Amino acid sequence: MIKLNDELHIKIVQWKSSSDVDGNLQFIREKIEQAERGTIVVFPEYSMLYPDYKNEDGFKMKAETSDGNFINSIRKSASKSSCDVLINFVEKTFGRPLNTSLYINSEGFITARYSKTHLFDSYGFRESSLYAQGSFVPEPFLVKGEHRAGLQICYDIRFPEITRLYSLKSASILFVQAGFYKGDFKYETWKTLLMARSMENGMFVVAANQCGEDFLGHSMVISPWGKILSEAGDDSQDLDVKISMSEVTKYRENTGVLDHRRLDLYDVRGL
């Protein structure tokens, strides 16, 4: 088993984005450039653009490619600040845009890409009216050149198969970017899902959520043991957390949570 001992410095930016792409971009760049050198700065879902279900055509017109101004500007800030950045944007396609997240390293290079696999057509919302489904097979990516990480976007966390696939492919940290809506029992749902994903797979969970009138807030960082290491409130807030990746090894060696699976009775894609 690979021994993971390095410390990672995480900064979650919990905030409420708007329909003003330029204003959102300015805020994002300021947050990146204020971060300590070497930090991984994590923004929530919808950071580029607040979803507008009443103006689908106008929403689509604001979409950009990954070499457009929005992402290129963030790449420059990441390089300038020597920080890694996890950002979500509305990715332009020939049809409906994709809900896409990019991992940008401290040199300003895009090193990972993921498009939301499960669209939120629940609780009266129809995210599929704004976005197309992602079709990428989830694959771990390297963080800081050593640690394997997975990425999910909001509604994805209700589907544990993706996180299990990441963990079986040696991921030790899961990033979740969300616009998780408020509602009855939604805080309990949010927290329970995140804690379950951490303990089921023996991995850190770093979850960044939107806040404001519609969204829950309560971004959090959770250890492999299911312990909440840091949690935001309802309003805009930054979480600044350092995590020891050796905890992943300790948890997996103590629990055997991955080794004790009964593959003679059930399996996940043969892994």
Side-chain angles (χ1 to χ4, degrees), residues 11-15 27 31 41-44 208-209 237-238:
K11 178 179 180 178
I12 293 178
V13 179
Q14 176 174 290
W15 67 304
F27 174 87
K31 284 293 184 180
V41 187
V42 184
F43 293 91
N209 196 22
Q237 183 180 346
D238 295 348

Side-chain angles (χ1 to χ4, degrees), residues 161-224:
E161 297 88 350
I162 300 180
T163 317
R164 176 50 53 90
L165 284 171
Y166 280 138
S167 65
L168 293 176
K169 294 178 179 181
S170 301
S172 54
I173 182 169
L174 176 70
F175 292 102
V176 178
Q177 294 176 289
F180 204 89
Y181 284 94
K182 292 179 176 178
D184 292 341
F185 304 108
K186 292 299 289 292
Y187 171 69
E188 291 83 358
T189 301
W190 167 249
K191 182 173 71 171
T192 301
L193 287 169
L194 296 174
M195 293 175 68
R197 297 298 87 84
S198 71
M199 291 183 287
E200 287 168 347
N201 298 286
M203 62 202 312
F204 281 97
V205 172
V206 175
N209 196 22
Q210 289 262 352
C211 60
E213 294 86 354
D214 297 323
F215 296 112
L216 183 68
H218 289 275
S219 301
M220 59 183 74
V221 178
I222 304 174
S223 80

Side-chain angles (χ1 to χ4, degrees), residues 26-87:
Q26 180 180 351
F27 174 87
I28 290 166
R29 296 192 71 180
E30 288 174 355
K31 284 293 184 180
I32 295 169
E33 293 174 17
Q34 291 168 3
E36 182 179 324
R37 182 185 178 93
T39 303
I40 301 172
V41 187
V42 184
F43 293 91
E45 185 184 21
Y46 306 141
S47 285
M48 174 182 169
L49 184 61
Y50 191 91
D52 187 353
Y53 290 96
K54 296 179 181 180
N55 186 8
E56 296 173 14
D57 291 337
F59 181 84
K60 180 179 177 180
M61 288 178 63
K62 293 182 178 180
E64 295 187 16
T65 62
S66 58
D67 60 357
N69 179 66
F70 184 79
I71 295 301
N72 277 336
S73 297
I74 293 171
R75 291 176 63 186
K76 290 176 183 176
S77 290
S79 177
K80 178 181 178 181
S81 305
S82 295
C83 291
D84 291 18
V85 177
L86 187 56
I87 192 67

